[in-house]
């Protein structure tokens, strides 16, 4: 299968979707660790227990909660940051619920499911080992970002002019059992067949959740790197990067988990066996806090995130529902085709989790997807999840009677795409203006997110980075791979001249 990333690599000689470095982001007004949507920085120079304590006090003053839950992923600095953050909240009179080592979606779950007033996940997601961070939500797991409280939390943490004081309590809570039951309500395990699946947790926190979930499923699962390890012995789990998924691909293409020499099969009764080795129906891998998951077909081909949006829309609409599906404008035609064909309602939205969540609530959408592997679900309080997509893809393969490669292959044939191609330029606005001057007269312009131009049998989206002089290009066509390649080359000639 020739996916968008492979196409772009052939054109350009580099990986288009992401790069293996941390892109600079605008720093906060007072602290470099404060970003647009969260707190994230190097330990201990940018983020440390002192700042975490002050964030706890500031969160209490700004949000006004009575009870806040806190979890952390596998990074070694997580427990120390938890202690400081919890102490800051306690000193403001806020009760703290300690969730322990969890994934980001479990903080979202716990905050909304148990009716807590806020939640904090201590994670730096796919950033290098020396980083950690704080993702904060208020009641109902509504996001806290720059313009919805984060800037004020930063200011308060800097000024340290505390308004609240008290002696809040702490208690531990194991939410895994309730979280698993939540997932099983979203996707009924009786809809799944005993598929052979390679699951790669990448030594992140996903392995813990999967150990709790898999005994309830009729799937035959080969476990890879399920042991949580904040030392990242196999690298930071970030499967969107080619080098980070090399081990997963090797195992899939071999048809067995040769590296561990073990195939662990869970039956619906929770039993395990290790006496059978088979080829896989598909593979799935997660990042460190498992709010993103990535898929591979039965041949070991990595599936571009754009087509996963279409797969999930298909899985959700397959029961005849007329639900709204939110999508971003970078690559669109495959999603639009599937949603229209299955009777759903497609809703366009600017990319970014705050925009997607807000649009989903406004439109009462069941699902929202970004090609960056973030998938949001109404059933999960409009938050992103890495476990629900895994279950939905397993359901789609089970119910359709088709292989994942066949399902995605049809999409690739109908709507070949370039994958996201990044280019460093001297002047982002000037380059976008030049491109619009050339192609604007040829098609229909949309400015929902950057510049999109629909030229009938092909289209593209061009977006400038908010943090550096980089332009991100996505091109797709209607069933004409060669046309897509030519137009990608044409556009890059203008962008990079």
């Amino acid at each position: 299968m020739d996916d968008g990333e492979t196409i772009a690599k052939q054109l350009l000689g580099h990986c288009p979707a992401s790069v293996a470095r941390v892109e600079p982001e605008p720093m906060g007004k007072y602290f470099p660790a404060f970003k647009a949507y969260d707190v994230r920085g190097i330990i201990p120079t940018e983020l440390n227990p002192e700042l975490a304590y002050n964030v706890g006090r500031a969160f209490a003053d700004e949000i006004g909660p009575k009870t806040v839950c806190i979890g952390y992923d596998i990074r070694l600095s997580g427990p120390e940051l938890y202690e400081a953050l919890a102490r800051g909240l306690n000193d403001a009179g806020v009760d703290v619920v300690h969730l322990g080592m969890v994934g980001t979606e479990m903080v979202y779950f716990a905050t909304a499911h148990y009716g807590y007033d806020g939640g904090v996940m201590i994670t730096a997601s796919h950033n290098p080992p020396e980083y950690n961070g704080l993702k904060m939500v208020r009641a109902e797991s509504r996001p806290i970002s720059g313009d919805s409280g984060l800037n004020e939390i930063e200011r308060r943490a800097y000024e340290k002019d505390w308004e609240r004081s008290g002696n809040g309590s702490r208690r531990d809570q194991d939410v895994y059992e309730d979280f698993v039951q939540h997932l099983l309500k979203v996707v009924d395990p009786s809809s799944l067949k005993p598929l052979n699946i390679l699951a790669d947790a990448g030594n992140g926190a996903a392995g813990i959740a999967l150990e709790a979930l898999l005994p309830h499923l009729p799937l035959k699962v080969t476990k890879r790197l399920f042991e949580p390890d904040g030392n990242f012995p196999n690298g930071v789990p970030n499967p969107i990067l080619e080098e980070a998924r090399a081990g997963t691909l090797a195992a899939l293409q071999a048809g067995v988990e040769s590296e561990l020499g073990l195939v662990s099969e869970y039956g619906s009764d929770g039993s395990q066996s290790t006496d059978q080795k088979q080829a896989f129906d598909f593979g799935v891998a997660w990042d460190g806090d498992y709010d993103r998951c990535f898929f591979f077909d039965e041949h070991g081909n990595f599936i571009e995130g754009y087509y996963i949006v279409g797969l999930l829309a298909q899985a959700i609409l397959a029961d005849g529902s007329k639900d709204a599906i939110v999508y971003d404008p970078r690559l669109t035609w495959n999603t639009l085709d599937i949603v229209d064909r299955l009777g759903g309602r497609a809703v366009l939205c600017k990319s970014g989790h705050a925009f997607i969540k807000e649009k989903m609530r406004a439109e009462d959408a069941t699902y929202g997807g970004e090609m960056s592997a973030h998938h949001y679900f109404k059933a999960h309080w409009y938050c992103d999840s890495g476990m629900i997509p895994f279950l939905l893809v397993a359901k789609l393969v089970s119910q359709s009677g088709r292989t994942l490669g066949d399902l995605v292959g049809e999409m690739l044939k109908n709507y070949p795409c370039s994958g996201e191609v990044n280019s460093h330029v001297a002047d982002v606005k000037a380059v976008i203006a030049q491109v619009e001057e050339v192609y604007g007269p040829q098609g229909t312009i949309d400015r929902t997110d950057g510049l999109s131009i629909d030229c009938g049998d092909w289209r593209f989206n061009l977006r400038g980075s908010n943090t550096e002089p980089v332009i991100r290009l996505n091109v797709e066509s209607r069933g004409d791979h060669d046309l897509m390649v030519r137009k990608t080359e044409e556009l890059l000639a203008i962008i990079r001249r």
Side-chain angles (χ1 to χ4, degrees), residues 356-433:
I356 297 284
K357 291 173 181 177
E358 180 181 6
K359 179 66 75 172
M360 286 182 68
R361 289 180 186 274
E363 299 286 343
D364 193 31
T366 299
Y367 164 65
E370 296 183 272
M371 57 176 281
S372 57
H374 285 285
H375 304 286
Y376 311 87
F377 301 91
K378 178 181 178 181
H380 195 59
W381 298 277
Y382 302 99
C383 294
D384 36 337
S385 167
M387 289 296 163
I388 295 174
F390 162 52
L391 295 173
L392 285 173
V393 169
K395 178 181 177 180
L396 181 61
V397 173
S398 296
Q399 297 296 308
S400 68
R402 302 172 65 185
T403 67
L404 186 56
D406 185 35
L407 289 165
V408 176
E410 182 179 18
M411 300 177 188
L412 281 162
K413 179 181 178 181
N414 293 337
Y415 302 103
C417 74
S418 64
E420 189 157 273
V421 185
N422 297 331
S423 301
H424 285 264
V425 297
D427 187 330
V428 169
K429 291 183 178 180
V431 171
I432 291 178

Side-chain angles (χ1 to χ4, degrees), residues 131-207:
Y131 281 75
N132 213 330
L134 309 171
K135 292 182 180 179
M136 293 173 266
V137 294
R138 59 181 76 234
E140 299 179 334
S141 288
R142 292 178 180 262
I144 296 174
S145 54
D147 59 357
S148 60
L150 190 59
N151 292 342
E152 284 301 300
I153 290 174
E154 181 191 16
R155 179 188 62 78
R156 291 175 183 271
Y158 175 77
E159 294 177 352
K160 294 188 280 191
D161 184 16
W162 312 126
E163 298 173 3
R164 296 178 58 177
S165 62
N167 187 23
S169 66
R170 290 194 212 181
R171 64 181 174 90
D172 295 337
Q173 183 176 20
D174 185 340
V175 301
Y176 277 95
E177 183 177 348
D178 288 344
F179 175 64
V180 166
Q181 291 304 312
H182 164 64
L183 295 177
L184 298 178
K185 289 178 181 177
V186 177
V187 178
D188 187 341
S190 68
S191 66
L192 306 179
K193 293 182 178 179
L195 304 174
N196 292 292
I197 296 171
L198 174 67
D200 192 338
N203 296 124

Side-chain angles (χ1 to χ4, degrees), residues 13 52 107 188 227 235 382 477 483 496:
V107 170
D188 187 341
E227 305 80 9
Y382 302 99
S477 72
L483 175 64
R496 295 177 172 178

